[in-house]
Every structure is written in structure tokens, then in C-alpha cells.
């Protein structure tokens, strides 16, 4: 029997530790921002920017303070007036011109007056829903004509001393001081209050009153 040698099992290959890998770093995945969050951030930035820019744009578009006032009725003053009694005496009113209160039994006829009218008679007109436009006596003829053109049919217009502004427009319980005949708020005021809805006797005309600025008795045949 031949002496044959069989090779033994192969020697195990020793595994060597490669050691730390130089020049690499663990990869950290950053969380992605959701689309809604991004959109919300952009929207917030736009809103903030608009808030900062809006006053500048508003100023550029609307102009100076007088022009800004002409765009709304925020300066209209209103009062709750309940006294509607008739009196032949002079009355001390809280407003200038008066916006309601006790008044004369006779009202003034509608129209444009070239001299001051008696308060007590004019207030009776206000009770009827009449618009009363008062103006500085020194207002130019052109300005007076411009005011008269805007006076409603159910309205009176008269000069008045010591007004708080060049023109004041009044209805029962509401009043607005105007910068002049060209103040655009007059049109806004007439649109809002010119129908006389604030007056206790809404719908009654100033027609038929006395044409005397000082409230003298009307001629026979009138309704006052």
C-alpha cells in the first residue's frame, strides 16, 4: 500500500482589523421643511412687508392731510337730541351752528339766504329733515355759487359769523366741518344724510316756511 500523504486542511486566513477609516464622516440626513411651512413663512414675510410699505404708499396716493380727510366721513359729529319743544324765546344751543333742540314754531323757507338766519327757525327746518349749509361771510362769490349748486331742494344755506371752519353742513343730530366749498366730503355727507333720515319729522319739507331770515310771520296762505 503506497504511502500517500494527503494535504491537511488549509490554514485559516487570519482576518486583520483594518482600523479606522481616515477621511470619512457619518452622513447626517437633514430633515426637509414641508412645503406648507415654507409657504406660510413666505406669506408671513409678504404680510409684514405690506404692513410696512402700506403707509408710505397710502401717503403717496392720498396726498396731504386735507386730501385724506376728503375721502371719508370719520370727522362727522353726532348727538342724541331729544328736545323738540316749541318756544318763542331765544335758545342757547350746545353746537355752533345748532344741530337740533328746542325751536321756533315757524320754520324758514327753503333756499339760499344772503344774510344770517335766526337759529331757532333754522332748527325747526332741521326737525323737518332739512340740510343746513352755513359758510363764512367772506367766502368768495364763486365758492358760494358752488355750494348753492350742491344744496338739496330740501335745504337752506346762509352765511354765519365765527364758524369753526369755512363751511359747516348740518342736519338734525349730525354735523361736519368742511375746509371749503371744494371739500369733497360735502358730497359724501349729502349722500349719507341728505335724505333727512336723522330728523324726527323725516319726510317733511322746508317748503311753506317764512322767507324772513329773522323768522317773521309768513304771508297769508303759507303753511308754517
Amino acid at each position: 500500500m503506497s504511502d500517500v500523504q494527503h494535504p491537511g486542511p488549509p490554514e485559516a486566513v487570519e482576518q486583520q482589523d483594518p482600523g479606522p477609516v481616515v477621511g470619512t464622516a457619518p452622513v447626517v440626513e437633514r430633515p426637509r421643511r414641508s412645503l406648507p411651512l415654507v409657504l406660510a413663512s413666505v406669506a408671513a414675510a409678504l404680510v409684514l412687508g405690506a404692513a410696512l410699505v402700506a403707509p408710505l404708499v397710502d401717503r403717496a396716493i392720498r396726498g396731504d392731510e386735507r386730501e385724506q380727510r376728503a375721502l371719508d366721513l370719520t370727522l362727522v359729529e353726532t348727538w342724541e337730541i331729544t328736545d323738540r319743544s316749541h318756544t318763542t324765546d331765544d335758545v342757547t344751543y350746545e353746537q355752533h351752528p345748532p344741530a337740533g333742540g328746542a325751536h321756533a314754531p315757524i320754520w324758514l323757507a327753503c333756499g339760499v339766504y344772503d344774510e344770517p338766519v335766526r337759529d331757532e327757525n333754522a332748527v325747526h327746518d332741521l326737525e323737518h329733515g332739512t340740510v343746513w349749509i352755513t359758510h363764512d361771510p367772506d367766502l368768495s362769490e364763486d365758492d358760494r355759487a358752488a355750494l348753492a349748486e350742491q344744496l338739496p331742494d330740501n335745504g337752506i344755506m346762509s352765511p354765519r359769523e365765527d364758524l369753526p371752519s369755512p363751511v359747516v353742513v348740518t342736519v338734525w343730530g349730525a354735523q361736519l366741518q368742511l375746509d371749503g366749498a371744494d371739500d369733497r366730503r360735502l358730497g359724501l355727507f349729502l349722500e349719507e344724510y341728505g335724505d333727512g333720515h336723522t330728523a324726527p319729522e323725516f319726510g317733511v319739507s322746508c317748503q311753506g316756511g317764512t322767507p324772513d331770515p329773522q323768522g317773521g310771520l309768513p304771508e297769508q296762505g303759507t303753511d308754517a
Side-chain angles (χ1 to χ4, degrees), residues 136-147:
D136 189 308
D138 294 330
L139 211 62
S140 71
E141 183 177 348
D142 288 343
D143 285 344
R144 294 197 304 271
L147 288 175

Side-chain angles (χ1 to χ4, degrees), residues 112-167:
V112 177
Y113 293 84
D114 58 6
E115 62 181 273
V117 299
R118 187 167 182 262
D119 285 350
E120 290 76 11
N121 299 96
V123 170
H124 195 148
D125 287 89
L126 297 181
E127 185 187 36
H128 288 188
T130 299
V131 174
W132 185 15
I133 296 179
T134 50
H135 62 82
D136 189 308
D138 294 330
L139 211 62
S140 71
E141 183 177 348
D142 288 343
D143 285 344
R144 294 197 304 271
L147 288 175
E149 288 180 359
Q150 299 182 74
L151 186 69
D153 292 338
N154 193 34
I156 58 175
M157 174 177 148
S158 63
R160 186 182 181 91
E161 298 283 352
D162 301 325
L163 285 174
S165 63
V167 179

Side-chain angles (χ1 to χ4, degrees), residues 69 77 96-97 134-137 139 147 160-170 175-181 183 185:
R69 293 203 309 272
E77 296 181 89
H96 179 63
T134 50
H135 62 82
D136 189 308
L139 211 62
L147 288 175
R160 186 182 181 91
E161 298 283 352
D162 301 325
L163 285 174
S165 63
V167 179
V168 179
V169 57
T170 306
Q175 187 175 90
L176 178 61
Q177 300 176 18
L178 302 173
D179 295 318
D183 194 321
R185 291 175 298 167

Side-chain angles (χ1 to χ4, degrees), residues 35-120:
L35 181 58
L37 181 59
V38 173
L39 294 177
S41 299
V42 173
L46 291 175
V47 171
L48 178 60
L52 295 175
V53 174
L56 301 178
V57 175
D58 181 75
R59 180 71 176 179
I61 293 176
R62 299 177 66 177
D64 61 21
E65 182 181 357
R66 175 177 176 176
E67 292 179 347
Q68 290 185 28
R69 293 203 309 272
L71 299 179
D72 57 53
L73 296 176
T74 55
L75 295 182
V76 171
E77 296 181 89
T78 59
W79 302 272
E80 185 68 27
I81 301 175
T82 58
D83 188 355
R84 299 171 50 201
S85 59
H86 285 184
T87 178
T88 56
D89 297 330
D90 293 339
V91 179
T92 300
Y93 294 100
E94 296 182 7
Q95 301 84 29
H96 179 63
H103 51 269
I106 301 172
W107 65 89
L108 293 173
C110 307
V112 177
Y113 293 84
D114 58 6
E115 62 181 273
V117 299
R118 187 167 182 262
D119 285 350
E120 290 76 11

